[in-house]
Amino acid sequence: MTPAACMLPDTAAPAHHPAPEAAMTVTRRHIQIALGVLWLLDGALQLQSYMFTSGFAHQIIDPAAAGQPVGVAAPVHWAAHLIAAAPVLTNTVFALGQLALGAGLLWARTARWALAASIAWALSVWLLGEGLGGLAGGHTLLLTGAPGAVLLYAMAAVLAWPQPASGAVDAGHRWRADTPPSAWAAPVWALLWSAGAILQVLPGNGAVPAIASSADSAPQPLATLDRALASALATHSAVTTVALALVMAAVGLGVLAARPWRRIAAYTGVVLALLFWLLGQGAGLLTSGRSTDPNTGPLLVLLAVAVLGSRTPGLPLRSSGMTGLRLGGSTASVPRGDLSSTRRKQASAPSTKDPQ
């Protein structure tokens, strides 16, 4: 008798195994669109009247060099000097460039080129305008905006980079953005939050003093909240700092675990990111007239979405155009497009019966 494992049934039998928890339905194109909106916001903020004055160079760019090593501070001072020499011209270029990045990301045909340009621009601004986010000085916190918003823009752009097309399913398309975000989303998230936990416990990096300090520039309602919270936690400053660092480490490493811990860690990170944005970043100081971006809070939320949407081992293969065929007692993954041709071949093949 012909072994059953050598024959394909007339109909595809579904795989009989426990269905794992499905990932959030997020594609790389969704991340690209979100980035496009954020870049448009940055471009609009760059059009504020203050940005066309020398104050942009002296009060926003130059202070990023404070407390940094010479190798980090020197490029920032150079950029500030360059902008101060022609603030209207340079800021016009900055604003139009960011608006162009946003528009390019929103249009699917130019999204890949816009992603590449946004990565280059973001890394340049991170070096010349943010002084590497203050990381070289050691006195910066995820709570207050480390490692710098533009670095997170670059990270998100890498995770949203379209995949090269392959196979008959992708015929006619060189790149695909309708796939889940890169599987590197979880390691990037883990590194980001684990590094944040380390920064939090460095000497002089207390969480409570950072919240109290952020009240000086925050909008009035948030400033009042910052002062009240800092006052309430003043006698427990060390405990608060250590507890926050432990939670941040758990948020980072938790996404490397299996579900449901991965989801719990990502959603906890979203809550922390929003709290950081309100308590430590003054909601990006968007109403101050001097904000150049919404700060890291919204970008952390976007990275969490990428983590929740990225593919993990054990998830159904539906998003990759694969389906299950039963071969004997096992299940094989076969492209959906091949099922119909396989069945047609079976129908046209001469019928053979095993002798009894």
Side-chain angles (χ1 to χ4, degrees):
M1 185 174 183
T2 304
C6 297
M7 298 182 63
L8 286 169
D10 291 340
T11 59
H16 296 289
H17 54 77
E21 187 177 359
M24 178 184 290
T25 305
V26 177
T27 67
R28 300 178 188 224
R29 183 62 189 142
H30 293 140
I31 305 299
Q32 293 171 9
I33 292 172
L35 281 173
V37 172
L38 288 172
W39 276 114
L40 288 178
L41 173 61
D42 287 5
L45 292 173
Q46 206 67 47
L47 291 173
Q48 297 174 106
S49 59
Y50 183 79
M51 304 301 178
F52 291 93
T53 70
S54 60
F56 172 52
H58 298 311
Q59 301 299 323
I60 296 179
I61 301 297
D62 211 39
Q68 303 303 307
V70 175
V72 176
V76 176
H77 290 312
W78 173 81
H81 177 76
L82 181 67
I83 295 170
V88 175
L89 175 61
T90 53
N91 189 65
T92 299
V93 172
F94 296 161
L96 293 179
Q98 292 177 98
L99 292 173
L101 290 176
L105 286 166
L106 292 180
W107 191 25
R109 289 181 177 273
T110 57
R112 188 166 64 94
W113 297 103
L115 282 174
S118 72
I119 293 171
W121 175 259
L123 293 179
S124 299
V125 174
W126 190 55
L127 171 63
L128 301 174
E130 293 190 350
L132 303 183
L135 295 177
H139 295 293
T140 186
L141 300 172
L142 205 61
L143 168 64
T144 55
V150 287
L151 180 62
L152 301 191
Y153 277 93
M155 289 180 176
V158 171
L159 299 179
W161 191 265
Q163 287 184 308
S166 61
V169 175
D170 299 327
H173 301 279
R174 294 182 59 189
W175 300 89
R176 294 187 59 186
D178 60 344
T179 55
S182 170
W184 283 99
V188 166
W189 176 271
L191 175 62
L192 182 63
W193 283 90
S194 299
I198 294 173
L199 286 172
Q200 190 63 67
V201 296
L202 292 179
N205 283 358
V208 175
I211 293 174
S213 178
S214 68
D216 296 337
S217 56
Q220 186 56 43
L222 293 178
T224 302
L225 179 60
D226 286 342
R227 294 189 182 98
L229 183 60
S231 177
L233 297 175
T235 57
H236 308 287
S237 180
V239 174
T240 301
T241 296
V242 173
L244 179 58
L246 291 175
V247 172
M248 291 166 64
V251 164
L253 299 177
V255 299
L256 301 179
R259 299 178 187 274
W261 300 111
R262 179 187 181 97
R263 294 175 65 89
I264 292 173
Y267 282 123
T268 303
V270 169
V271 174
L272 277 182
L274 293 176
L275 289 175
F276 289 177
W277 192 58
L278 295 174
L279 300 176
Q281 302 170 21
L285 305 179
L286 294 176
T287 60
S288 67
R290 301 185 179 187
S291 175
T292 58
D293 56 58
N295 216 319
T296 59
L299 272 301
L300 289 172
V301 173
L302 182 59
L303 290 178
V305 171
V307 169
L308 291 168
S310 62
R311 187 175 302 156
T312 56
L315 287 178
L317 296 173
R318 182 173 302 171
S319 60
S320 61
M322 306 292 284
T323 188
L325 278 177
R326 182 167 295 280
L327 299 175
S330 62
T331 301
S333 295
V334 179
R336 286 196 185 98
D338 294 345
L339 282 175
S340 57
S341 60
T342 301
R343 292 168 183 166
R344 286 196 297 270
K345 291 178 182 179
Q346 291 174 345
S348 60
S351 175
T352 56
K353 292 185 179 180
D354 295 327
Q356 301 295 326

